[in-house]
Amino acid sequence: MPYFPAFLRAGRGAAARRRARLWWLRRERTTRPPTEAEAARLRARQLQAVLRLTPVAMGINLGNVAVIVHALWGQVAPALLLGWGGGIAIMAAMGLRGWWRGRQRGERSTASARALRRAAWQAGALGMAWGVLPLVTLSALEATAQFFVGTVITGMICAGGFALSSVPWAGTAYVLALGLQAMGALALSGHPQAGSLSVLLGAYNGLVLYTVWAYAAGLRARLLAEATAERQNEVISLLLQDFEEHASDVLLEVDALGRFLHVSPRLAQVLGVPARRLTQRPAWPLLRRWMARDEGGRTAWSALRARLAEGRAFRDHPLPLQTPAGPRWWSLSARPLVDEHGLPAGWRGVATDITERHLAHSRLSWLAHNDSLTGLVNRHQFRERLQALLGAVPVPPLAVICFDLDGFKQVNDQQGHAAGDRLLTDFGQRLLALSRRSDTVARLGGDEFVMLVLDIQRPETLKPLLDRILLALEVPVELAPGCQEPLRCSMGVALAPADGQDVDTLLSHADLALYAAKRAGGQRYSFFSAQMTDGSRRRAQLVQALRGAASRGELHLAYQAQIESEDLRVSGFEALLRWHHPELGDISPVEFIPLAEGAGLMGELGAWVLQAACRDAAQWPAGLSVSVNVSALQLAEPDFLAQVQAAAALLPPGQLELEVTESALIDDADTAVAVLQQLRAQGHRTALDDFGTGYSALGYLRRFRFDTLKIDRSFVRDLSRDAGAQVLVDTILAMAQALGMRTVAEGVETEAEARRLIHRGCTSLQGFLISRPVPAQALPDFLQAWCRRGAASLRPSLSPPAPEAEACGNATAPADAGAPLMHR
């Protein structure tokens, strides 16, 4: 009999322990098949997880039955309702009886495969029983009752599947039995949207099944890992013994009374006391006797006592010692131990001899200046250190790694400076943890970090370290309780002496490599090459040439048409910025737009595009709209609204449409929404570009209702070969229709794509199938050609026959369009 407990806890602590184990143990766990005894214990744990909350689950089943019977009484035959409800009540009673018997018998340690199969059959039976209701009654119910039944059935699919996820075949049987009947009920209901709803319900069922099996796989891996770990204790003990005998670090273990539980030969050697005597004396007072008697020793001892009193783990606590061999410095890391009752049971830690590092730090302390936030070396000290190394003859092989945190500005602006400081601090500490004693980690300012690594002669030597850094950043930073942020960084590397033999050249080349890594998408590293210098010179040349390009007549606009899906008439054009340099030729917007944003030229370019587009649109036939994209930098300008009002003065109300991308909203959502609301108050239409490709588009639609949603060309391109893209497009179109917004599909290049979009209800089409971008002076010829040939050539395959004049439409269709501004 299947049972439906609350969601099972995933065991995050167990997952953390697994990651901490040795790599060869993890390899054995993932490759070794379980023994029959382990499999029997695993099955028992699976069934116990289902049994645990059976009373609550059965109560929910009975409660849902009672609510449904009450809600449908009068719409469905009483005999059918009572018979259906009675059947489920009997199954629930059997489930409670099985739970009670299991409780009286006690928790069993093993279970057979037959028990799991029986649970799967019983789960399928309960799913079949629940599925009878929509299958028999849905077509005869009122719309409100249909919605109510659909909501309950959807919830039961989710709750039952997740509750049975520890026994995946039972969860699968239940979800399929209920879900397939629900899809059949939709097909028989005659609802106009039955096909689309069936597709969505099928995808939903698939997602629930995927979650069920993913959880089951995690549970299986965790249980096998625990069994394997028990069998490896002996091997781990041998490894610890070898570590104690050969490593320079010292292991410490103290019981609740403060006595040494274990004394390694290394500890006895360092303190100069026989191991037998150490085990007979209190650990902390003995350690206090060996500490330095100066102010530094007293301060270190007071800080250590405070940390011990807190009862929390600590790392790298310095201890100055006076040993028989002379002054030494230890770095102590320890964590508290607790017994099975959760009471303090002592401490376990590692003491690392840091004498050499401490002495070197003392000798250079009069030069040292640390970053006040992260405690790392600052820019001045880093340059001095690098200059000293590069001044040697010959120059030693070394590497300079420049880091830049991807997305730091967004965290700093949206979550506050405290969160940004936490991100910087954690990032710096992770770099420091991965560095060697001979390396130098510094923060140059902002989110710019740098690492100096010695003895690096070839890039291949450094790649393992760079890979470890990327791996270490996969663990998110906890900025606040319940708020985590992923760490992502780009890295640029320059090697000495090959890439430079002075500080400025080496740092400049590392910055160029960093820029290349960021352009490639971030979260990766790049090594400097000579070609990067050429690219840097070209970027500088383009930025210089871009200043004043509009006044020199080098910029012009091209326009791409948008047509109405219903009658194939042209409804408007999108404005696309083009740049033709007299010496460099045509330069792609993909190249010069980011340069303009970085150089602070987007305000000037955006104002020129807005003026030119409105000036050209004023000459068009009535009813044709013009669409202009607006960048995030323009929205933040104080005089932007005045620019729009001045440029659109010659146009009828509603002829200008302004588009924003999700990136503009992400940068400063509050400012962007406020500006968009004022634009609408002035009578201008707005569009959200590339909908669905960003991070939180639905959240923005709740805050501001756009006039138009633009479907990204990536969805259109995949429409014919990707079922997921079809579902997403259908969802976007249905949502836009429900919210009263128009839709424009970008990148339509084939008749097959246009046909699919029209049949799915897309309002407008845009792409090479209709027209490539044309200059302003060629628009009259294009409109005439479209009226004569273009619409007529597409009409047979895309829409029902219509009068010729209506398809040409003399360009009087209601204004509607939208397009990405200058990025094509």
Side-chain angles (χ1 to χ4, degrees):
M1 192 68 204
Y3 312 100
F4 299 89
F7 294 109
L8 301 176
R9 294 186 292 273
R12 290 175 294 178
R17 291 193 297 273
R18 291 202 306 274
R19 289 194 296 270
R21 293 193 178 112
L22 299 174
W23 67 269
W24 49 268
L25 293 177
R26 183 166 61 249
R27 179 175 181 272
E28 180 178 347
R29 287 201 306 269
T30 57
T31 57
R32 181 183 62 83
T35 64
E36 177 56 32
E38 291 173 339
R41 288 194 295 270
L42 172 62
R43 291 190 291 265
R45 293 283 295 276
Q46 290 176 294
L47 291 175
Q48 289 298 333
V50 175
L51 283 169
R52 192 168 296 118
L53 293 181
T54 294
V56 176
M58 293 301 100
I60 292 174
N61 274 261
L62 294 174
N64 284 342
V65 168
V67 171
I68 289 178
V69 170
H70 178 269
L72 300 186
W73 193 264
Q75 299 188 44
V76 179
L80 176 60
L81 274 179
L82 294 176
W84 170 80
I88 293 183
I90 292 174
M91 292 184 178
M94 293 174 63
L96 289 172
R97 186 184 67 172
W99 166 78
W100 179 256
R101 288 181 175 179
R103 183 177 180 182
Q104 296 298 317
R105 185 174 54 246
E107 184 172 327
R108 54 184 178 181
S109 59
T110 61
S112 65
R114 182 170 173 267
L116 293 186
R117 289 194 297 270
R118 184 169 60 250
W121 281 106
Q122 293 168 348
L126 184 60
M128 291 291 294
W130 271 101
V132 167
L133 177 68
L135 190 63
V136 174
T137 65
L138 189 65
S139 59
L141 296 178
E142 299 176 354
T144 302
Q146 288 181 339
F147 177 78
F148 174 76
V149 171
T151 302
V152 174
I153 293 300
T154 304
M156 291 300 295
I157 291 174
C158 176
F162 287 359
L164 289 166
S165 56
S166 61
V167 183
W169 282 113
T172 301
Y174 175 84
V175 171
L176 289 179
L178 179 52
L180 291 177
Q181 289 186 95
M183 295 172 64
L186 284 173
L188 298 175
S189 67
H191 194 279
Q193 300 295 331
S196 299
L197 292 175
S198 295
V199 171
L200 292 177
L201 182 57
Y204 178 74
N205 291 335
L207 178 60
V208 173
L209 289 177
Y210 173 80
T211 305
V212 167
W213 284 95
Y215 173 81
L219 177 63
R220 175 187 175 89
R222 183 169 71 251
L223 297 178
L224 290 177
E226 293 174 357
T228 303
E230 293 175 359
R231 299 191 305 125
Q232 300 302 329
N233 285 336
E234 181 179 357
V235 179
I236 293 176
S237 299
L238 294 175
L239 291 175
L240 290 176
Q241 181 179 353
D242 181 72
F243 174 81
E244 290 181 345
E245 293 177 354
H246 298 93
S248 59
D249 295 343
V250 177
L251 296 178
L252 300 175
E253 190 168 0
V254 180
D255 63 13
L257 299 178
R259 297 172 302 189
F260 282 113
L261 287 175
H262 172 72
V263 177
S264 65
R266 175 68 177 165
L267 176 61
Q269 177 186 357
V270 171
L271 297 180
V273 179
R276 182 177 55 82
R277 289 182 55 191
L278 286 177
T279 57
Q280 299 173 353
R281 306 183 64 178
W284 303 123
L286 180 63
L287 185 61
R288 176 68 182 95
R289 288 184 53 192
W290 290 106
M291 292 188 65
R293 301 298 180 181
D294 55 13
E295 183 62 26
R298 288 190 292 270
T299 302
W301 174 249
S302 299
L304 178 60
R305 290 184 60 187
R307 289 191 167 187
L308 294 175
E310 290 177 357
R312 294 187 298 180
F314 59 88
R315 293 191 58 185
D316 300 330
H317 183 82
L319 297 177
L321 303 178
Q322 289 290 345
T323 69
R328 310 295 295 177
W329 281 263
W330 277 5
S331 175
L332 180 62
S333 299
R335 65 180 181 88
L337 303 177
V338 294
D339 58 19
E340 62 274 12
H341 303 294
L343 300 176
W347 291 83
R348 180 182 293 134
V350 177
T352 303
D353 192 327
I354 58 169
T355 302
E356 295 182 3
R357 186 170 62 185
H358 181 84
L359 291 176
H361 176 76
S362 298
R363 288 193 298 267
L364 299 175
S365 59
W366 63 278
L367 289 174
H369 297 284
N370 297 326
D371 176 59
S372 59
L373 176 63
T374 63
L376 300 176
V377 172
N378 64 9
R379 179 188 296 272
H380 175 73
Q381 185 176 352
F382 179 82
R383 290 180 64 91
E384 284 192 352
R385 169 68 171 156
L386 183 57
Q387 180 62 52
L389 292 170
L390 296 178
V393 180
V395 176
L398 56 87
V400 171
I401 312 171
C402 285
F403 301 87
D404 186 83
L405 279 173
D406 300 333
F408 168 74
K409 183 179 182 299
Q410 178 183 342
V411 173
N412 205 48
D413 293 344
Q414 294 184 357
Q415 302 190 38
H417 294 293
D421 291 347
R422 172 64 177 161
L423 203 67
L424 294 174
T425 302
D426 195 282
F427 179 72
Q429 291 304 313
R430 296 193 194 189
L431 291 183
L432 199 60
L434 292 171
S435 64
R436 303 171 301 178
R437 293 184 180 181
S438 58
D439 301 336
T440 303
V441 181
R443 180 190 177 208
L444 301 184
D447 61 338
E448 299 178 13
F449 291 77
V450 66
M451 179 183 288
L452 173 62
V453 185
L454 301 180
D455 299 326
I456 301 297
Q457 300 182 358
R458 299 183 309 276
E460 292 76 13
T461 309
L462 191 62
K463 285 183 179 179
L465 172 61
L466 301 177
D467 291 332
R468 287 198 302 272
I469 292 175
L470 291 177
L471 183 62
L473 298 181
E474 291 182 356
V475 180
V477 179
E478 187 170 359
L479 302 179
C483 176
Q484 293 185 334
E485 184 71 25
L487 269 177
R488 302 175 72 253
C489 82
S490 302
M491 295 178 278
V493 184
L495 305 179
D499 298 333
Q501 300 187 30
D502 63 87
V503 175
D504 292 328
T505 300
L506 205 57
L507 288 175
S508 175
H509 288 173
D511 279 335
L512 289 177
L514 174 63
Y515 181 76
K518 293 181 72 68
R519 284 192 303 166
Q523 201 173 6
R524 64 191 66 202
Y525 54 81
S526 178
F527 289 87
F528 171 78
S529 64
Q531 290 78 6
M532 294 179 183
T533 306
D534 298 335
S536 177
R537 284 196 293 265
R538 174 175 172 82
R539 288 191 295 272
Q541 182 183 11
L542 290 179
V543 170
Q544 184 63 30
L546 198 55
R547 302 181 189 276
S551 61
R552 295 193 300 271
E554 298 173 8
L555 302 179
H556 68 277
L557 294 179
Y559 297 91
Q560 189 172 34
Q562 298 173 344
I563 64 170
E564 292 289 324
S565 299
E566 183 178 358
D567 52 13
L568 305 184
R569 59 185 175 184
V570 177
S571 60
F573 296 87
E574 70 166 324
L576 305 173
L577 180 60
R578 299 291 185 260
W579 181 19
H580 180 80
H581 192 273
E583 297 177 2
L584 302 176
D586 291 327
I587 303 171
S588 170
V590 176
E591 183 178 10
F592 72 80
I593 291 299
L595 296 178
E597 292 176 342
L601 300 177
M602 277 307 301
E604 176 185 343
L605 289 182
W608 183 89
V609 170
L610 193 59
Q611 287 282 350
C614 292
R615 185 171 57 250
D616 290 340
Q619 310 300 321
W620 297 348
L624 290 180
S625 65
V626 61
S627 181
V628 178
N629 185 272
V630 177
S631 71
L633 298 177
Q634 288 178 268
L635 290 176
E637 291 182 353
D639 60 342
F640 174 69
L641 292 173
Q643 292 179 13
V644 175
Q645 191 170 7
L650 299 177
L651 300 180
Q655 188 173 354
L656 173 64
E657 185 172 72
L658 299 168
E659 293 185 15
V660 296
T661 60
E662 290 185 43
S663 61
L665 297 172
I666 291 172
D667 289 340
D668 190 347
D670 294 334
T671 300
V673 169
V675 173
L676 291 173
Q677 290 172 343
Q678 295 180 66
L679 289 173
R680 171 169 289 174
Q682 293 179 359
H684 306 300
R685 293 184 297 114
T686 57
L688 180 58
D689 194 16
D690 298 337
F691 180 77
T693 61
Y695 298 96
S696 52
L698 291 177
Y700 303 136
L701 291 182
R702 291 182 59 190
R703 301 183 62 181
F704 183 82
R705 187 66 55 83
F706 290 86
D707 300 292
T708 304
L709 289 185
K710 301 205 69 178
I711 303 175
D712 186 70
R713 62 181 58 219
S714 62
F715 295 146
V716 175
R717 181 176 60 250
D718 297 335
L719 199 57
S720 61
R721 60 178 183 269
D722 186 358
Q726 297 175 12
V727 173
L728 288 175
V729 169
D730 288 342
T731 303
I732 293 173
L733 293 174
M735 180 181 60
Q737 183 179 7
L739 295 176
M741 292 184 288
R742 297 179 60 81
T743 51
V744 177
E746 297 177 294
V748 181
E749 299 183 357
T750 66
E751 291 183 3
E753 293 172 351
R755 182 164 52 250
R756 289 187 176 93
L757 289 165
I758 290 177
H759 292 169
R760 283 172 163 78
C762 185
T763 310
S764 302
L765 306 179
Q766 174 186 340
F768 287 172
L769 178 65
I770 294 95
S771 170
R772 291 180 177 271
V774 297
Q777 58 271 21
L779 287 185
D781 293 337
F782 165 77
L783 291 173
Q784 294 180 7
W786 181 260
C787 290
R788 290 195 304 270
R789 298 184 301 274
S793 65
L794 288 179
R795 188 184 304 110
S797 59
L798 301 185
S799 63
E804 180 71 17
E806 197 171 295
C808 297
N810 69 9
T812 60
D816 178 80
L821 167 64
M822 311 171 247
H823 297 281
R824 297 190 179 86

